[in-house]
Amino acid sequence: MYPIPHRSKTQRHLLAVGLLMILILCISSFAQASDPLPSWNNGLVKTKIIQFVCDVTNTNSENYVAPKERVAVFDNDGTLWVEQPISTQTVFTYDQIKKLAPQHPEWKTIQPFKAVLEGNMSAVSSFGTKGFIKMIVTTHSGMTATEFTNEVNEWISKAKHPRFKCLYTNLVYQPQLELLTFLRANGFKTYIISGSSMAFMRPWTEKAYGIPPEQVVGSSVVTEFRIVDNKPVIIRLPKNNFTDNRAGKPIGIYQHIGRRPIFAFGNADADMQMIQYTKAGKGKRLGLFIHHTDAKREYAYDRKSNIGRLDKVLDMASSNDWIIVDMKKDWGQIFPTPK
Amino acid sequence: MYPIPHRSKTQRHLLAVGLLMILILCISSFAQASDPLPSWNNGLVKTKIIQFVCDVTNTNSENYVAPKERVAVFDNDGTLWVEQPISTQTVFTYDQIKKLAPQHPEWKTIQPFKAVLEGNMSAVSSFGTKGFIKMIVTTHSGMTATEFTNEVNEWISKAKHPRFKCLYTNLVYQPQLELLTFLRANGFKTYIISGSSMAFMRPWTEKAYGIPPEQVVGSSVVTEFRIVDNKPVIIRLPKNNFTDNRAGKPIGIYQHIGRRPIFAFGNADADMQMIQYTKAGKGKRLGLFIHHTDAKREYAYDRKSNIGRLDKVLDMASSNDWIIVDMKKDWGQIFPTPK
């Protein structure tokens, strides 16, 4: 060890200029050579993202972050794929109720199952979050883990979105696919932190986003290990285990990853705590929210929406240095070009 | 697609011989060029491990496994480091009780805290698992996640083992360090699945074993996200959340990884379900248990031990194709050579 020499004002100035030049070179090399985010329109948001990645991966920067600490977390519904007019897992849940109804004659008289079977959607809504969790927990249990995965795979390979008339996995956002690839190419580990069920997402996230099951954190039911007919199986029980939403998101991150992310991306008030937790760490951090402003190409909703409500965040964004991504303005293309 | 031609008996024979030759070449290349497991004595166990890794990584083998499915899980106490005469987390817990006692005058009259403070260890034992969990949950909570990590880091950098008079992190098993490295070099992702607290292990597992926090699964207390003095923090609460032991181990794997391992290593009856779950998957799988047989270099214990009891497993091993590693016979060196 030797003492760090005191730097003169001129030296400090030269150092600052040098670091700035490295940063500019880094950004322009990304921007010119081959744009890593071609579906993102040029502007402040795109620049901030590229600048952040340049900065934390630059060993000469005071904001350098070691690769193992480069954790990026993304909400799923409304952040990585479409969540309107109702969330995809909700559609799956309704379809499962209809599919499994013959084995559950009692559903004809039990709410909110009765309302779903009768197609009375306003009645379904009247049972609120509690009714929703009841439906999820019931349809996502009573079978082995493998059987449930098979149910999801079968459904996701066939079900189509009511407006866009294509598979839900075709309604992932092209700019986000590019961002995920860009982050991973720069040593980031990308995670999903979603209020949806882990078991509903894990079967298809690797194919859709390049995010493997072990990097998908979400809500879960209680599960149990049993030996059935001499075969060890995991049984899914009709009991909620963990709700990975709002204040649950930082908890999901802590329990699952055990590191604080340096980059977080959401689209709703329910993602606020995840972004707060991310930004509260030491050093440079980025927190972003998508604002759905594009009714023509996708949907436009915010303060009054029941799904993906973005209200408090809009008021608090500027004072907290949260970046609001304006879908209409910032995204040149919404969905991947069909192959 | 074209039909697979029917193979003659001679063709099948040639194919089998060819595959066998490839396997032998693969194993001998590992064994001769540079032994990946120098602290493992030559013998059936070492051969089986190397053969397994050769086989699942050989694209020409019918047992080939894609890299993303190469999940290897290890118990911690007694499998990766010493667990006698009492588990390291238990020593930490006792030390924390003594350290925190001035802030908890009530412990002088509440069991099993009273017994710990009086040094009456037989009384402590009499409170069994319930008393043990009470002590863990109490000493591992009432602070933020960051504060707890600091407590662990401070303790683990100073506390010494009563017999070996060195840091606990020096009492990791050299043969297992080599095995972890060997597996990772062959595309495996290595995980810890332990009954100990995640929060107790994660601060030091990366340095000790090269296993990052996000690949450490263990028991946990309930945690809560709060904004305290305008700062988002995670508070650890005095309530058990999940016990990652026995039938809890496959559940921990399912919830955390979402893939079934192809390789599992334990040392006690409490690891049996983890190995059963691993072995029940399709294709080639390896399940191993360390049998602590070396009182001279480490400890000798099995059927009657309160810590790391290995009893049922010894009876069931051969009929289930579980490999029993005889520490005395199979390990040439136990601990890393001091630097």
Side-chain angles (χ1 to χ4, degrees):
Chain A
M1 294 292 291
Y2 53 92
I4 297 162
H6 175 75
R7 291 196 183 104
S8 73
K9 215 171 172 179
T10 322
Q11 280 175 317
R12 285 205 305 273
H13 180 73
L14 281 172
L15 190 69
V17 170
L19 286 174
L20 188 67
M21 280 181 64
I22 288 167
L23 193 63
I24 291 167
L25 275 173
C26 169
I27 294 168
S28 62
S29 76
F30 273 127
Q32 285 171 10
S34 68
D35 185 349
L37 305 173
S39 300
W40 287 75
N41 291 328
N42 289 331
L44 196 61
V45 172
K46 182 171 177 170
T47 304
K48 276 192 176 178
I49 293 173
I50 294 178
Q51 192 175 336
F52 174 81
V53 173
C54 276
D55 204 7
V56 299
T57 56
N58 177 358
T59 46
N60 293 316
S61 166
E62 57 175 0
N63 297 315
Y64 176 74
V65 175
K68 64 183 182 177
E69 295 290 346
R70 291 180 205 157
V71 172
V73 293
F74 288 77
D75 166 60
N76 184 41
D77 296 311
T79 301
L80 292 179
W81 75 350
V82 170
E83 65 177 344
Q84 294 283 3
I86 48 170
S87 90
T88 312
Q89 193 185 2
T90 307
V91 184
F92 169 70
T93 301
Y94 294 160
D95 284 357
Q96 286 301 96
I97 290 175
K98 289 168 205 158
K99 183 181 168 184
L100 302 173
Q103 299 153 47
H104 293 272
E106 73 279 11
W107 286 354
K108 280 184 192 153
T109 53
I110 296 173
Q111 292 293 15
F113 302 94
K114 182 173 179 286
V116 172
L117 293 173
E118 289 167 353
N120 185 348
M121 298 330 276
S122 66
V124 173
S125 311
S126 72
F127 296 99
T129 308
K130 214 174 153 185
F132 180 63
I133 290 178
K134 189 177 172 185
M135 287 187 286
I136 297 242
V137 159
T138 308
T139 55
H140 290 47
S141 67
M143 56 191 103
T144 68
T146 309
E147 284 162 353
F148 184 72
T149 300
N150 294 341
E151 290 286 324
V152 174
N153 277 328
E154 197 192 320
W155 186 86
I156 203 87
S157 67
K158 287 180 193 159
K160 295 203 170 168
H161 188 275
R163 173 177 157 194
F164 295 106
K165 315 286 181 206
C166 66
L167 296 181
Y168 287 92
T169 46
N170 290 342
L171 297 174
V172 298
Y173 301 133
Q174 177 62 24
Q176 300 292 61
L177 296 182
E178 293 165 7
L179 178 55
L180 288 167
T181 303
F182 178 52
L183 289 169
R184 288 193 289 257
N186 283 283
F188 280 77
K189 214 164 177 175
T190 54
Y191 287 85
I192 289 174
I193 311 293
S194 167
S196 285
S197 299
M198 272 195 295
F200 174 71
M201 297 182 284
R202 284 175 165 178
W204 50 265
T205 53
E206 188 149 30
K207 206 175 155 194
Y209 310 122
I211 299 179
E214 62 269 27
Q215 283 159 232
V216 175
V217 182
S219 300
S220 58
V221 296
V222 174
T223 51
E224 206 172 87
F225 176 80
R226 285 187 209 153
I227 307 282
V228 178
D229 298 334
N230 266 322
K231 229 185 129 180
V233 289
I234 284 173
I235 304 280
R236 297 177 54 85
L237 301 179
K239 195 181 164 193
N240 192 42
N241 176 54
F242 178 65
T243 303
D244 189 63
N245 210 19
R246 301 187 183 277
K249 291 203 173 198
I251 298 305
I253 293 170
Y254 174 59
Q255 297 279 14
H256 200 100
I257 310 178
R259 299 188 198 266
R260 196 191 294 258
I262 64 166
F263 182 104
F265 211 140
N267 78 303
D269 285 358
D271 300 313
M272 192 170 72
Q273 290 90 340
M274 174 173 85
I275 271 89
Q276 286 175 319
Y277 179 62
T278 300
K279 296 273 292 179
K282 280 177 199 160
K284 203 169 184 178
R285 316 246 155 183
L286 216 63
L288 305 102
F289 292 87
I290 293 171
H291 188 185
H292 291 262
T293 51
D294 198 328
K296 204 173 163 192
R297 294 186 299 169
E298 203 242 8
Y299 293 92
Y301 57 101
D302 46 36
R303 293 183 187 273
K304 286 177 181 171
S305 176
N306 281 327
I307 293 159
R309 178 172 299 180
L310 187 75
D311 182 31
K312 283 184 192 169
V313 164
L314 291 177
D315 297 332
M316 295 166 67
S318 74
S319 62
N320 285 281
D321 192 26
W322 299 335
I323 299 171
I324 303 294
V325 179
D326 183 325
M327 185 181 262
K328 197 172 177 178
K329 196 178 118 235
D330 290 315
W331 284 4
Q333 182 174 343
I334 308 282
F335 302 120
T337 310
K339 283 166 196 162
Chain B
M1 296 291 292
Y2 52 91
I4 297 163
H6 176 76
R7 291 196 183 103
S8 73
K9 213 170 173 181
T10 320
Q11 280 174 319
R12 286 204 305 273
H13 181 72
L14 281 172
L15 190 69
V17 170
L19 286 175
L20 189 66
M21 280 181 65
I22 289 167
L23 193 63
I24 291 168
L25 276 171
C26 169
I27 295 169
S28 61
S29 75
F30 273 127
Q32 285 171 9
S34 67
D35 185 350
L37 304 173
S39 299
W40 288 75
N41 291 329
N42 289 331
L44 196 62
V45 171
K46 182 170 177 171
T47 304
K48 277 192 176 176
I49 292 172
I50 295 179
Q51 191 175 338
F52 174 80
V53 173
C54 277
D55 203 7
V56 299
T57 56
N58 177 359
T59 45
N60 293 316
S61 166
E62 58 175 0
N63 297 314
Y64 175 75
V65 175
K68 64 182 182 179
E69 295 290 346
R70 291 182 204 155
V71 172
V73 292
F74 288 78
D75 166 60
N76 185 40
D77 295 311
T79 301
L80 293 180
W81 74 350
V82 169
E83 65 177 344
Q84 295 282 4
I86 50 171
S87 91
T88 311
Q89 194 185 2
T90 307
V91 184
F92 169 70
T93 301
Y94 293 160
D95 283 356
Q96 287 300 96
I97 290 175
K98 289 168 205 159
K99 183 182 169 185
L100 302 173
Q103 299 152 47
H104 294 271
E106 73 279 11
W107 287 353
K108 279 183 191 154
T109 53
I110 296 174
Q111 292 292 17
F113 303 94
K114 183 174 180 284
V116 172
L117 292 172
E118 289 167 353
N120 185 349
M121 298 330 276
S122 65
V124 173
S125 311
S126 73
F127 295 100
T129 309
K130 214 174 154 184
F132 181 63
I133 290 178
K134 189 177 172 185
M135 287 187 286
I136 297 242
V137 159
T138 308
T139 55
H140 290 48
S141 66
M143 58 191 102
T144 68
T146 309
E147 284 162 354
F148 184 73
T149 300
N150 294 342
E151 291 285 326
V152 173
N153 277 329
E154 198 192 319
W155 186 86
I156 203 88
S157 67
K158 286 179 194 160
K160 296 205 170 165
H161 188 276
R163 174 177 156 193
F164 296 105
K165 314 287 180 207
C166 66
L167 296 180
Y168 287 92
T169 46
N170 290 341
L171 297 175
V172 299
Y173 301 134
Q174 177 62 24
Q176 300 292 61
L177 296 181
E178 293 164 8
L179 177 56
L180 288 166
T181 303
F182 178 51
L183 289 169
R184 288 193 290 257
N186 283 283
F188 280 76
K189 214 164 177 176
T190 53
Y191 287 85
I192 288 173
I193 311 293
S194 167
S196 286
S197 299
M198 271 196 293
F200 174 71
M201 297 182 283
R202 284 174 165 179
W204 51 266
T205 53
E206 187 148 31
K207 205 174 156 196
Y209 310 123
I211 299 180
E214 62 269 26
Q215 284 159 230
V216 176
V217 183
S219 300
S220 59
V221 296
V222 173
T223 52
E224 207 173 86
F225 177 80
R226 286 187 209 153
I227 307 282
V228 178
D229 298 334
N230 266 320
K231 230 185 127 179
V233 288
I234 285 172
I235 305 280
R236 298 176 54 84
L237 302 179
K239 195 181 166 193
N240 192 42
N241 177 53
F242 177 65
T243 304
D244 189 63
N245 210 19
R246 303 186 182 277
K249 291 204 171 196
I251 298 306
I253 293 170
Y254 174 60
Q255 298 279 14
H256 200 100
I257 311 178
R259 299 189 199 265
R260 196 191 293 256
I262 63 167
F263 182 103
F265 211 139
N267 79 303
D269 285 358
D271 300 314
M272 192 170 72
Q273 289 89 341
M274 173 174 87
I275 272 90
Q276 286 175 319
Y277 179 61
T278 300
K279 296 273 292 178
K282 280 178 198 161
K284 203 168 182 176
R285 317 247 155 182
L286 215 63
L288 305 101
F289 292 87
I290 293 170
H291 188 184
H292 291 263
T293 50
D294 198 329
K296 204 174 163 192
R297 294 186 299 169
E298 203 241 9
Y299 293 92
Y301 57 101
D302 46 37
R303 293 184 187 272
K304 287 178 180 169
S305 176
N306 281 327
I307 293 159
R309 178 173 298 180
L310 188 74
D311 182 30
K312 282 184 193 167
V313 163
L314 290 177
D315 297 332
M316 294 166 68
S318 75
S319 62
N320 285 281
D321 192 25
W322 299 336
I323 298 171
I324 303 294
V325 179
D326 183 325
M327 185 181 262
K328 197 172 176 179
K329 196 178 119 235
D330 291 315
W331 283 4
Q333 182 173 343
I334 308 282
F335 302 119
T337 310
K339 284 166 196 162

